[in-house]
Amino acid sequence: MTESERLFARAQAVLPGGVNSPVRAFGAVGGTPPFIQRGEGSKIYDVDGKQYIDYVCSWGPLLFGHCPQEVLEAVRKKMENGLSFGAPSRVEVEMAEMMVSMLPGMEMVRMVNSGTEAVMSALRLARGVTGRDKIVKFAGCYHGHSDSLLVRAGSGVLTDSLPDSMGVSKAAAADTLTAEYNQLSSVESLFEQHGAEIAAIVVEPVAANMGVIPPQEGFLQGLRAICDRYGALLVFDEVITGFRLAPGGAQEYYGIQADIAAFGKIIGGGMPVGAYAARRDFMKQVAPSGGIYQAGTLSGNPVAMAAGLAQLSMIQDRGDRLYQMLTGYAEKMAEGLEQSARENGISVTVNREGSLFSVFFHDGPVQNERQAKESDTQRFKHYFHGMLSRGIYLAPSQFEAVFVSAAHTQKDLEKTLAAADEVMRELAGLQALQQK
Ligand code: KE4
């Protein structure tokens, strides 16, 4: 038995599925998840000493890879003065000023502890500001695990093909309307029926929880126009896209102004941080300056703020050069994987936006949840394990994204594509056998 197997057996006795978040359990791909001992740059090392090139990067937060010195130094310095006070501190102001300076049209921000909390709070703000109850979300988009958003959700819900989560009351889900991503007509018809009751549309500007599905030309602009026409708010869930597509996230990248935006992942630099932001007249309605209540014991935790602030400062220092580098790496990797599949007669569809991409084992366009679900998840499973056994650590699900970092090197790319060549050849061999 490997140490990971021993730990996984122990973990399953005390943690549901042996994990603290479902996608980590390898449910969709099988096998034992490597228990990670440490990370350094683009690499992670498991408890059995195996090294992997990491393309999960903690599901997006680690834009500069594992243990960037600037973040570690900021955390070390801050924690020597205390871990948490439950009282205002300077670094919270500095973090809020930094975010506001980087985010188009956002005048105030409130820190929370996760992306789930950020989106949940953003929607409470939308309901409070508009006095309306209904929310429109998209099938296959994932916005965290708050009750009203676990309706036709993506990520782990899609991966484990749970219809919807048990435990969510009908009442909690009743005000959530679902439309199809990249299909404005499905949004229009919901507004024709419920327009006056709809507080907001919540959308992942680039869907990344059914695999990566970029918005088609005009889709986001169409959502903006529908919100304006009906007096609803446009909420961008930028937990993944925020600070990953551009310093100003998807709002900057697409030039579209959301009314409220939710953040997570990168703004914590690997520590538990979420945030939501909007213009001043909205945010002033949040307690204690207004009647929309939201709170948190560890919100704005100084050590987490120090990590996030260090990471955002590194983004500011590097500017567009950073995004050119991230996109360049992702482009070469995506093209290399696609070419390797094509040369071996394996049907794949590769979707990429900026440095975010996914390889779907699918032979047609993937522009919505229905098409994503047509992917060959058995083939993905073989691909995943073929890459893992060659030291390439991908998300253990067809319905997640590849996350690259500024720490990934040309050497990593070469090793990744060499492994993919071997795996695609294996898949071709299997395909030939099946066709006999
Ligand atoms: P957290 O509560 O997990 O910090 O954020 C929820 C969330 C909200 N919005 C978007 C667009 C997200 O992608 C997420 C969380 N992402 C998943 C990965 N697709 C987190 C991984 C996990 O659940 O363990």
Side-chain angles (χ1 to χ4, degrees):
M1 261 182 121
T2 64
E3 185 57 11
S4 284
E5 286 165 336
R6 272 190 289 277
L7 281 170
F8 199 35
R10 274 175 56 191
Q12 292 181 74
V14 285
L15 291 164
V19 292
N20 281 308
S21 197
V23 282
R24 303 177 193 169
F26 277 27
V29 294
T32 298
F35 277 57
I36 304 307
Q37 176 89 11
R38 69 183 182 90
E40 190 181 340
S42 60
K43 308 292 186 304
I44 48 176
Y45 301 82
D46 73 15
V47 292
D48 292 289
K50 284 195 199 118
Q51 181 199 85
Y52 305 90
I53 300 172
D54 182 14
Y55 289 112
V56 175
C57 294
S58 181
W59 301 93
L62 307 179
L63 198 66
F64 295 95
H66 293 269
C67 300
Q69 276 316 304
E70 297 92 325
V71 175
L72 284 194
E73 202 35 51
V75 167
R76 274 194 206 105
K77 255 173 71 197
K78 189 58 71 181
M79 67 194 237
E80 275 156 16
N81 293 331
L83 292 172
S84 182
F85 309 118
S89 63
R90 181 193 303 273
V91 71
E92 295 169 71
V93 184
E94 292 166 343
M95 178 67 171
E97 287 171 343
M98 171 73 88
M99 286 186 69
V100 163
S101 74
M102 295 172 80
L103 296 171
M106 300 287 145
E107 295 175 307
M108 295 184 88
V109 64
R110 168 59 67 84
M111 309 311 297
V112 292
N113 301 285
S114 68
T116 293
E117 257 194 282
V119 182
M120 178 179 76
S121 309
L123 295 181
R124 185 177 309 139
L125 174 61
R127 289 180 163 129
V129 163
T130 60
R132 299 177 180 181
D133 293 342
K134 295 205 179 303
I135 298 288
V136 171
K137 77 174 286 290
F138 293 91
C141 282
Y142 179 72
H143 302 291
H145 67 90
S146 60
D147 279 2
S148 64
L149 290 168
L150 282 178
V151 174
R152 290 193 60 193
S155 187
V157 181
L158 191 54
T159 298
D160 297 342
S161 53
L162 300 168
D164 276 320
S165 172
M166 292 167 64
V168 173
S169 71
K170 285 191 182 52
D175 284 328
T176 303
L177 306 172
T178 309
E180 297 307 319
Y181 200 79
N182 277 325
Q183 207 184 74
L184 284 172
S185 58
S186 69
V187 183
E188 288 283 6
S189 57
L190 287 176
F191 273 81
E192 277 154 22
Q193 289 175 63
H194 306 281
E197 306 164 79
I198 298 175
I201 295 174
V202 59
V203 66
E204 292 181 57
V206 174
N209 285 289
M210 34 183 163
V212 173
I213 298 185
Q216 286 188 299
E217 189 58 40
F219 177 62
L220 296 176
Q221 293 79 353
L223 297 183
R224 179 69 271 172
I226 290 170
C227 285
D228 293 343
R229 200 174 335 136
Y230 286 90
L233 301 184
L234 182 57
V235 179
F236 271 8
D237 175 348
E238 294 226 45
V239 170
I240 284 185
T241 57
F243 307 96
R244 177 164 286 278
L245 284 182
Q251 292 187 93
E252 175 185 328
Y253 188 84
Y254 291 109
I256 294 187
Q257 182 64 60
D259 295 302
I260 306 172
F263 300 93
K265 297 183 192 278
I266 287 173
I267 62 170
M271 303 285 278
V273 178
Y276 60 107
R279 43 186 238 231
R280 190 177 309 283
D281 62 318
F282 286 0
M283 292 303 281
K284 292 198 82 159
Q285 299 183 50
V286 175
S289 45
I292 300 168
Y293 196 72
Q294 177 269 310
T297 302
L298 294 172
S299 295
N301 171 273
V303 180
M305 291 294 98
L309 187 60
Q311 184 130 289
L312 295 188
S313 306
M314 290 165 75
I315 289 174
Q316 280 220 322
D317 294 349
R318 290 158 176 77
D320 290 346
R321 204 164 28 90
L322 168 66
Y323 294 91
Q324 283 152 17
M325 185 183 164
L326 292 167
T327 301
Y329 189 100
E331 200 171 11
K332 289 195 198 97
M333 184 171 164
E335 284 170 4
L337 294 173
E338 193 169 21
Q339 183 186 338
S340 172
R342 192 173 48 249
E343 284 169 359
N344 285 283
I346 302 297
S347 303
V348 296
T349 296
V350 176
N351 283 350
R352 183 177 65 78
E353 192 70 63
S355 69
L356 280 170
F357 75 95
S358 290
V359 176
F360 293 93
F361 285 87
H362 191 294
D363 56 1
V366 180
Q367 293 163 348
N368 56 49
E369 184 208 38
R370 180 181 53 75
Q371 291 170 335
K373 282 163 75 168
E374 291 165 354
S375 304
D376 184 336
T377 50
Q378 284 310 305
R379 203 164 245 187
F380 174 84
K381 179 174 170 177
H382 188 103
Y383 163 71
F384 172 81
H385 280 293
M387 295 294 269
L388 187 71
S389 63
R390 293 170 173 82
I392 312 298
Y393 189 87
L394 298 167
S397 160
Q398 169 69 87
F399 307 114
E400 298 287 355
V402 171
F403 291 104
V404 300
S405 82
H408 285 86
T409 63
Q410 180 58 28
K411 203 157 157 282
D412 293 335
L413 184 62
E414 285 157 14
K415 180 173 178 185
T416 302
L417 295 181
D421 260 340
E422 292 176 14
V423 175
M424 294 298 179
R425 257 203 302 284
E426 275 178 14
L427 286 173
L430 284 173
Q431 180 168 266
L433 278 177
Q434 283 155 0
Q435 283 160 356
K436 272 194 179 134

